Amino acid sequence: MRLTLYTDYALRVLIHLALHEDRLCSISEVSRAYDASHNHLMKVVNKLAHDGFVETVRGRSGGMRLARPAEQITVGDVVRHTEDGFSLADCSGCVLSPACGLSGVLAQGVAAMLKVFDGYTIADLLADKTTMRRLIARQSPLGIGTV
């Protein structure tokens, strides 16, 4: 199974905001830091705000920040909100499905994966904040994201 780019961007946005919890961040800043599509990030941030992960502030000096502490946002919760489904295979049309155990095994696999994701928060992903901030600053042509 592979997570979508949408989920990847959602996690990157949340990590970025957690790294810069002392200030508001802009979508343009995140876009430059991760070389990600600004338009795609706008959609991601809108969904994250709608789902209560991100708080947005309008206006000239506006931006976004985490809506709650990074320690309270699990990777599993983000994945559940950003992925459409978790079906690894479509067994519905298979002639063997009434007697086959594959769908049950796949369902157990997905449940195990989500259980692992539920065991980690966004804060857990920030192993070395100083190095992470430095790497973001190097990527950004304007040095945005430095502390």
Side-chain angles (χ1 to χ4, degrees), residues 12-147:
R12 288 182 199 216
V13 167
L14 295 173
I15 289 168
H16 192 87
L17 298 179
L19 283 171
H20 301 93
E21 60 191 356
D22 58 326
R23 63 178 176 79
L24 294 174
C25 299
S26 70
I27 293 173
S28 294
E29 172 187 332
V30 177
S31 174
R32 284 189 302 270
Y34 298 101
D35 194 25
S37 163
H38 186 274
N39 289 337
H40 198 69
L41 283 175
M42 284 177 46
K43 294 174 189 173
V44 170
V45 168
N46 184 44
K47 174 98 168 105
L48 289 173
H50 178 267
D51 291 344
F53 294 107
V54 170
E55 177 182 295
T56 59
V57 178
R58 291 181 179 243
R60 184 169 183 208
S61 56
M64 61 185 163
R65 63 180 156 237
L66 293 178
R68 55 187 192 259
E71 295 82 9
Q72 295 178 11
I73 303 171
T74 68
V75 175
D77 199 20
V78 176
V79 169
R80 282 183 187 88
H81 277 84
T82 55
E83 290 293 322
D84 284 335
F86 297 99
S87 178
L88 296 180
D90 181 11
C91 297
S92 62
C94 179
V95 67
L96 297 177
S97 65
C100 180
L102 179 60
S103 62
V105 170
L106 296 177
Q108 281 183 323
V110 169
M113 178 186 68
L114 289 172
K115 184 176 180 180
V116 170
F117 289 169
D118 287 338
Y120 292 92
T121 67
I122 297 299
D124 295 328
L125 305 179
L126 310 178
D128 185 350
K129 284 184 177 183
T130 303
T131 301
M132 291 174 84
R133 286 186 191 117
R134 190 172 31 246
L135 291 168
I136 288 172
R138 273 192 210 141
Q139 176 68 21
S140 176
L142 302 175
I144 294 176
T146 58
V147 176

